[in-house]
């Protein structure tokens, strides 16, 4: 999904995540999983831009999105080979029909503005029994664009009430537009430490742990 910046001709600009729901390999952008505890706080944001409406259109199905998520985690660009095999069943359990099809899809639909593309920063919290925690999960739908990069965020700090696994990923379900993301950032506040990570479109880490001031 790594591509050139559509709003800049400068070779020094960072590459972006270019998502295209028509391509099974380009529906999911950067993704990450982190262990969290009740009482931890997170901040989540990314910049976005999307192109004009094109012919055709519509959205991919929920089943197609689940397949793309699993494929992105277990495929060549996902988990390291040594971890992918051992965690294959874990990934299948996290994105089961009860977790995604029955629960998360309803959450996503309730937070979607139909006037904007179905492209999101997704965050899903799974408890220690690998069950989705609905009240701690949701989406940040892509912002309306006016030809410039737009900020998408939670709008503040979110305090988690459950312990488990937090999964964050970029996605696009819209087959009529090209979607671009950059600067996915997760700040994880735990006690006296801040675990701050900035992710390029291909998932490499820019910053690591910082002491909180």
């Amino acid at each position: 999904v790594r591509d050139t910046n559509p709003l800049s001709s400068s070779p020094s600009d960072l590459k972006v995540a270019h998502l295209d729901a028509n391509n099974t390999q380009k529906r999911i952008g950067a993704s990450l999983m982190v262990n969290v505890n009740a009482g931890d706080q997170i901040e989540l944001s990314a910049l976005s831009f999307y192109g004009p409406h094109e012919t055709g259109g519509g959205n991919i199905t929920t089943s197609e999105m689940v397949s793309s998520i699993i494929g992105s985690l277990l495929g060549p660009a996902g988990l390291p080979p040594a971890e992918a095999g051992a965690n294959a069943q874990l990934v299948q359990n996290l994105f089961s029909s009860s977790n995604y099809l029955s629960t998360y899809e309803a959450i996503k639909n309730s937070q979607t503005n139909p006037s904007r593309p179905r492209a999101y920063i997704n965050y899903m919290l799974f408890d220690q029994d690998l069950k989705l925690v609905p009240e701690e999960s949701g989406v940040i739908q892509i912002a309306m664009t006016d030809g410039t990069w737009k900020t998408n965020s939670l709008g503040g700090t979110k305090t988690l009430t459950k312990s488990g696994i937090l999964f964050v990923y970029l996605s696009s379900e819209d087959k009529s537009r090209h979607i671009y993301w950059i600067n996915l950032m997760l700040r994880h506040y735990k006690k006296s430490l801040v675990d701050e990570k900035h992710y390029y479109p291909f998932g490499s880490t820019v910053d690591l742990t910082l002491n909180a001031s």
Side-chain angles (χ1 to χ4, degrees):
V1 300
R2 190 184 182 199
D3 207 344
T4 55
N5 188 332
L7 299 183
S8 175
S9 59
S10 171
S12 63
D13 280 351
L14 294 176
K15 297 293 185 178
V16 302
H18 174 197
L19 302 188
D20 178 2
N22 292 288
N23 185 333
T24 59
Q25 304 300 314
K26 299 183 71 172
R27 294 169 178 167
I28 306 297
S31 62
L32 59 143
M33 285 186 180
V34 294
N35 291 315
V36 296
N37 294 308
D40 287 1
Q41 296 181 318
I42 62 168
E43 294 177 1
L44 185 59
S45 65
L47 298 178
S48 67
F49 169 81
Y50 57 86
H53 189 278
E54 298 182 356
T55 58
N59 301 297
I60 63 171
T61 66
T62 304
S63 296
E64 288 175 321
M65 178 52 68
V66 172
S67 295
S68 293
I69 295 170
I70 294 174
S72 72
L73 290 173
L74 300 181
L79 295 170
E83 297 180 19
N87 289 300
Q89 190 57 55
L90 169 63
V91 171
Q92 295 286 344
N93 290 339
L94 292 179
F95 298 98
S96 64
S97 294
S98 59
N99 274 339
Y100 197 101
L101 299 179
S102 300
T103 307
Y104 187 68
E105 186 68 8
I107 296 171
K108 182 168 57 178
N109 288 337
S110 71
Q111 298 177 3
T112 293
N113 182 334
S115 67
R116 306 206 301 270
R118 289 181 67 91
Y120 310 93
I121 306 172
N122 303 261
Y123 57 98
M124 306 173 72
L125 180 62
F126 301 92
D127 65 19
Q128 295 171 340
D129 295 320
L130 305 184
K131 301 295 185 184
L132 185 72
V133 182
E135 61 271 22
E136 302 290 7
S137 304
V139 298
I140 304 170
Q141 188 180 9
I142 193 168
M144 293 289 288
T145 184
D146 57 3
T148 61
W149 289 103
K150 292 297 183 182
T151 299
N152 309 258
S153 73
L154 286 172
T157 301
K158 179 177 178 63
T159 301
L160 303 176
T161 61
K162 300 283 186 180
S163 300
I165 300 172
L166 179 68
F167 179 51
V168 175
Y169 64 100
L170 302 173
S171 70
S172 175
E173 304 171 14
D174 192 322
K175 298 168 68 176
S176 67
R177 296 180 187 273
H178 291 272
I179 305 294
Y180 302 90
W181 295 98
I182 197 170
N183 292 352
L184 174 63
M185 184 186 72
L186 170 68
R187 284 179 176 169
H188 178 199
Y189 298 86
K190 185 176 181 181
K191 295 184 179 179
S192 60
L193 293 178
V194 180
D195 189 18
E196 180 175 349
K197 293 182 173 65
H198 297 251
Y199 292 85
Y200 286 127
F202 45 92
S204 62
T205 304
V206 181
D207 279 330
L208 295 175
T209 303
L210 305 173
N211 286 326
S213 59

